[in-house]
Amino acid sequence: MAATDFLRKRFMPHIWCPGCGHGIIMRALLTAIEKLDIEKNDIVMASGIGCSARMLGYIDVHTMHTLHGRALAFATGVKMARPDLTVVVPMGDGDALAIGGNHFIHAARRNIDMTAIVMNNSTYGMTGGQYSPTTGCGEYGTTAPYGTVVQPFDTVELATAAGASFIARTTTYHAREMARILADAIRHPGFSVVEVLTQCPTYYGRKNEKGDAVEMMERFRDCAVPVGPLDDNGRATAADVEAADASVETIPIGVFRKEVRAEYCDAYRRQVIEPAVAAASAAADAAGGDR
Amino acid sequence: MSTSRRIEVNPDWCKGCNVCVAFCPKQVLALDERGKAYVANIDACIWCRECELRCPDLAVTVVVERAS
Ligand SMILES: Cc1ncc(C[n+]2csc(CCOP(=O)(O)OP(=O)(O)O)c2C)c(N)n1
Ligand code: SF4
Ligand code: SF4
Ligand code: SF4
């Protein structure tokens, strides 16, 4: 199968603007799914609202286009009912970290086995370029005509503190590596967060004079610094980042964390479902009735 | 056994963003007068697939056909 065999071709060309990075992420995800050789019927994708969330309209697996910020809650329901399915949730930075911030941190805390792709374009693209929790301090948006006065979230640090067990960052320039990381994230048995820095040339790019899609991707290329290899605890060593000149803008990329710890559905089955079923059947036996 | 390779650009999906042109390491691709990507110099292609992976509109396909 080719990666594009997972496309609902009848809906193409897609709605995204010329040069929008979201399409590059979709392509990388399809490549990852193809590489992992998962059946279409065994994958569920849930999304909220946003340009990013529109992705799953184009992907020919089981898809649920749900409420802004709430995709992880829907995905959690699916995963608990059918832990055998592979669950992937593409989200915008607003969807994941603003309106959906609470779902995000608690999904990470539970370590439920699914993959959240945070498509970070530093803005609310769909609604016209309002600033988001990842817009840099002093940067512009339609709701920040004088520049924002708050510092942005660092998605990797947030996911680390909340307890996600696989955490990575990459960019649309690094498309080949992105496909590899996404495959790794989907395979990982726990909550995986892959932040992809992506370009919204239409709003964020224009408001902040970052140029066209090519220039925005060149910036990703020029600023990216790979983090060091994982240590014995599955944490990235920061050597390469520290070695970089502090006066130059850097974007640390790569896998920051990869550790195996108790997964939610698995732990819940062992600790709650199995004892509850055993207790119910023991009670029925004690009552001596036919079941 | 012979292998034939080519690059296909789907003009109905291409939005002329220039990403494939700018990041091709061998200047194989260009935009035509309508702003659609086309293969301008296939002889220089090293079949690295960077264009296919980075096209935001999934409009580029590197086709490899093996015939025996
Ligand atoms: C409950 C609710 N509040 C607000 C909105 C309006 N809204 C739609 S998309 C969006 C933000 C989209 O930004 P992001 O999630 O970063 O995705 P992008 O469009 O940039 O890919 C907002 C605020 C909504 N649809 N539903
Ligand atoms: S508004 Fe921005 S995020 Fe939305 S499709 Fe256009 S470029 Fe992409
Ligand atoms: S990257 Fe894709 S959409 Fe952009 S010019 Fe090339 S073929 Fe067209
Ligand atoms: S395969 Fe590589 S060399 Fe050939 S057109 Fe694409 S980017 Fe250029």
Side-chain angles (χ1 to χ4, degrees), chain A residues 7 20 46 81 85 110 126 138 151 165 174-175 180 211 217 232:
Chain A
L7 271 185
C20 174
L85 299 176
R110 288 185 200 110
M126 175 151 278
Q151 65 167 24
S165 56
H174 303 85
R180 260 199 309 269
M217 289 172 73
D232 293 344

Side-chain angles (χ1 to χ4, degrees), chain A residues 22 49-53 68 91-96 99 119 121 123-127 132:
Chain A
H22 289 355
I49 302 296
C51 296
S52 38
H68 192 27
M91 335 174 68
D93 43 294
D95 199 45
I99 190 167
M119 302 162 66
N121 55 13
T123 194
Y124 293 175
M126 175 151 278
T127 42
S132 85

Side-chain angles (χ1 to χ4, degrees), chain A residues 130-151:
Chain A
Q130 294 81 2
Y131 74 90
S132 85
T134 55
T135 308
C137 187
E139 290 186 337
Y140 299 92
T142 47
T143 44
Y146 299 99
T148 68
V149 294
V150 276
Q151 65 167 24

Side-chain angles (χ1 to χ4, degrees), chain A residues 7 9 12-14 16 18-20 23-24 26-27 30 173 175-176 214 217-218 221, chain B residues 12-13 15-19 22-23 48-50 52-58 60-61:
Chain A
L7 271 185
K9 294 202 175 79
M12 295 290 282
H14 59 55
W16 295 315
C20 174
I24 304 177
M26 177 160 79
R27 166 96 211 191
L30 298 183
Y173 174 80
R176 199 181 291 270
V214 170
M217 289 172 73
E218 283 170 347
R221 177 191 67 196
Chain B
D12 294 335
W13 292 7
K15 294 179 190 149
C17 68
N18 208 42
V19 165
F23 293 116
C48 64
R49 292 182 181 259
E50 297 286 319
E52 185 181 75
L53 291 167
R54 289 210 187 90
C55 170
D57 289 86
L58 296 91
V60 186
T61 312

Side-chain angles (χ1 to χ4, degrees), chain A residues 128-282:
Chain A
Q130 294 81 2
Y131 74 90
S132 85
T134 55
T135 308
C137 187
E139 290 186 337
Y140 299 92
T142 47
T143 44
Y146 299 99
T148 68
V149 294
V150 276
Q151 65 167 24
F153 271 142
D154 179 319
T155 311
V156 168
E157 284 181 12
L158 186 69
T160 305
S165 56
F166 181 103
I167 304 169
R169 180 190 289 119
T170 185
T171 84
T172 50
Y173 174 80
H174 303 85
R176 199 181 291 270
E177 187 189 41
M178 188 195 332
R180 260 199 309 269
I181 287 178
L182 286 172
D184 230 21
I186 292 170
R187 218 184 283 123
H188 177 78
F191 192 67
S192 303
V193 175
V194 179
E195 178 182 36
V196 184
L197 301 189
T198 172
Q199 68 275 12
C200 169
T202 302
Y203 291 112
Y204 176 79
R206 199 157 40 132
K207 283 272 166 204
N208 291 285
E209 296 180 6
K210 300 266 182 182
D212 62 9
V214 170
E215 286 167 88
M216 295 177 83
M217 289 172 73
E218 283 170 347
R219 185 184 144 256
F220 294 153
R221 177 191 67 196
D222 297 341
C223 297
V225 180
V227 289
L230 297 172
D231 65 16
D232 293 344
N233 298 317
R235 309 286 171 104
T237 43
D240 292 357
V241 182
E242 267 159 24
D245 182 347
S247 67
V248 185
E249 186 192 5
T250 56
I251 303 171
I253 62 163
V255 177
F256 290 76
R257 186 182 207 176
K258 187 179 182 177
E259 67 181 14
V260 175
R261 66 177 175 85
E263 191 276 329
Y264 186 73
C265 298
D266 201 36
Y268 193 85
R269 178 178 50 79
R270 276 183 233 234
Q271 197 172 317
V272 181
I273 298 176
E274 285 173 2
V277 169
S281 103

